[in-house]
Amino acid sequence: MSSECSSYLNADKVLVSGFSCPRAGGDVRAVFCCGFQDVKYCCDDPHSFFPYEHSYMWWLSVGALVGLSIAAVVLFAFIITVCVLCYLFISTKPRSKLDTGLSLQMAGKTCC
């Protein structure tokens, strides 16, 4: 059993000629053509071919970094806001104890 990998342009825009799998001197189990449109190789999994250029993964990484950066800034702003509000709550609290208006009496004695 063998598979044919068609020719393709690699990331440097150089034409790589087609080849058949398994390659001479390679793993005999690698009978399927795998990879991307700009990087192809022989492998043992028939579902490892993606009809996209390899560079699309870079944009996914950049998008993930931007999203994580925005989430980190929002979390940092939330933490700063909570700290400022706690400080303001504690610093504006009245310092004196409130008078409850109750007088203390000794047990067993009653007033006139």
Side-chain angles (χ1 to χ4, degrees):
M1 183 169 153
S2 68
S3 170
E4 291 290 323
C5 284
S6 60
S7 58
Y8 62 94
L9 289 175
N10 66 10
D12 298 326
K13 304 298 182 204
V14 175
L15 180 66
V16 177
S17 59
F19 54 90
S20 62
C21 297
R23 290 186 133 177
D27 187 2
V28 293
R29 296 175 296 168
V31 294
F32 300 102
C33 182
C34 299
F36 297 89
Q37 280 185 346
D38 57 348
V39 176
K40 293 183 182 179
Y41 55 92
C42 296
C43 69
D44 59 355
D45 184 9
H47 304 291
S48 293
F49 179 75
F50 303 100
Y52 309 106
E53 288 186 16
H54 193 261
S55 61
Y56 88 96
M57 293 175 68
W58 168 251
W59 288 109
L60 288 178
S61 299
V62 170
L65 287 175
V66 168
L68 287 173
S69 299
I70 291 171
V73 167
V74 168
L75 179 64
F76 184 69
F78 176 76
I79 291 172
I80 294 296
T81 303
V82 168
C83 289
V84 167
L85 290 175
C86 286
Y87 172 76
L88 289 174
F89 177 75
I90 291 171
S91 66
T92 58
K93 220 173 172 183
R95 302 274 179 211
S96 63
K97 292 186 177 183
L98 295 176
D99 184 18
T100 60
L102 299 175
S103 60
L104 298 175
Q105 297 177 0
M106 292 180 59
K109 287 191 175 181
T110 59
C111 188
C112 331

